[in-house]
Amino acid sequence: AQSVTQLDSHVSVSEGTPVLLRCNYSSSYSPSLFWYVQHPNKGLQLLLKYTSAATLVKGINGFEAEFKKSETSFHLTKPSAHMSDAAEYFCVVSDRGTYKYIFGTGTRLKVLA
Amino acid sequence: GEEVAQTPKHLVRGEGQKAKLYCAPIKGHSYVFWYQQVLKNEFKFLISFQNENVFDETGMPKERFSAKCLPNSPCSLEIQATKLEDSAVYFCASIHRITSSYEQYFGPGTRLTVT
């Protein structure tokens, strides 16, 4: 069975400092991995996806993630946080057999002025 | 259309009443998925369809919940005799066909409040 674990439920950073949101995965196959962002009372927006092409994936709004098979990790990073980045972030793996999404429990990012 | 549409945006029901939610997938998309996001922000998979056929219903509560995707109609998720614990945001998503990315396209969600 596939799963993802988001290691931090809350992360606080100061505006202009780097962001690191951690995600570990478990999968029997080469996984399809995603990061989504959800702003308060809003829907899901895709930040980036990994589909076994390049291991360093660039997404929208300056976010990127690196797929590390040896560490079974897919951490999300951004060099400089902006106030508008404050939101809930979800790491997701797609189940290869049923195509359903398996969500992590989310990381709430707080950006301090 | 080019976006997944969900109606209504908000739905308020008294405990014991029926609730019906609708989802129009992107035109040409053959897979539809329903997810429930409860107040702790956790997402739970409910059910998926391949065209009008149930594809995976392992997440559906056996009682009170049902879903359909009929030709030329929006898909629907119905909850009979709602309970307080059904309060959540229900998201629908669709996929055109199974590609290497398995990326799903999400609707804006329906917020169900059971009072």
Side-chain angles (χ1 to χ4, degrees):
Chain A
Q2 291 163 296
S3 65
V4 288
T5 302
Q6 291 186 245
L7 299 165
D8 307 292
S9 58
H10 293 83
V11 169
S12 291
V13 300
S14 297
E15 192 175 20
T17 63
V19 175
L20 170 64
L21 305 182
R22 299 183 294 165
C23 173
N24 285 355
Y25 71 89
S26 174
S27 177
S28 306
Y29 322 97
S30 178
S32 290
L33 293 161
F34 308 83
W35 276 100
Y36 283 84
V37 62
Q38 186 179 34
H39 288 92
N41 299 313
K42 298 287 185 184
L44 291 165
Q45 182 182 20
L46 178 68
L47 285 175
L48 48 81
K49 61 186 177 187
Y50 168 76
T51 56
S52 73
T55 56
L56 183 62
V57 182
K58 294 191 183 298
I60 61 170
N61 300 336
F63 284 96
E64 61 182 39
E66 187 171 6
F67 175 77
K68 291 187 177 180
K69 187 175 179 180
S70 60
E71 298 175 13
T72 62
S73 69
F74 190 57
H75 301 335
L76 182 70
T77 60
K78 183 173 180 177
S80 176
H82 192 272
M83 296 298 288
S84 60
D85 295 328
E88 190 88 18
Y89 291 78
F90 293 94
C91 182
V92 176
V93 65
S94 176
D95 184 275
R96 191 58 65 93
T98 64
Y99 319 129
K100 67 184 177 188
Y101 272 9
I102 299 161
F103 287 80
T105 50
T107 298
R108 179 153 295 178
L109 176 65
K110 188 173 180 180
V111 182
L112 307 170
Chain B
E2 293 299 316
E3 294 182 341
V4 176
Q6 289 189 248
T7 55
K9 286 186 70 172
H10 302 280
L11 190 58
V12 180
R13 289 288 179 265
E15 217 175 352
Q17 292 185 316
K18 184 174 76 173
K20 196 163 185 179
L21 291 61
Y22 296 92
C23 167
I26 294 172
K27 191 176 180 181
H29 280 202
S30 53
Y31 289 84
V32 172
F33 300 79
W34 284 98
Y35 298 91
Q36 179 194 54
Q37 185 183 26
V38 294
L39 292 177
K40 282 187 177 180
N41 283 336
E42 292 185 13
F43 282 85
K44 178 187 173 187
F45 165 76
L46 294 176
I47 191 169
S48 61
F49 289 84
Q50 182 181 15
N51 298 312
E52 61 267 26
N53 303 308
V54 174
F55 187 65
D56 178 3
E57 58 182 348
T58 53
M60 277 289 264
K62 295 300 180 189
E63 299 175 354
R64 303 187 299 110
F65 283 65
S66 62
K68 293 179 189 176
C69 277
L70 299 176
N72 303 313
S73 297
C75 296
S76 64
L77 177 68
E78 188 167 332
I79 309 172
Q80 301 284 347
T82 53
K83 297 183 177 181
L84 295 175
E85 68 219 42
D86 298 331
S87 294
V89 180
Y90 292 82
F91 287 97
C92 170
S94 68
I95 300 177
H96 174 213
R97 56 185 172 81
I98 301 306
T99 64
S100 61
S101 74
Y102 302 90
E103 179 184 348
Q104 296 183 16
Y105 296 82
F106 282 84
T110 293
R111 182 178 295 276
L112 172 64
T113 302
V114 181
T115 61

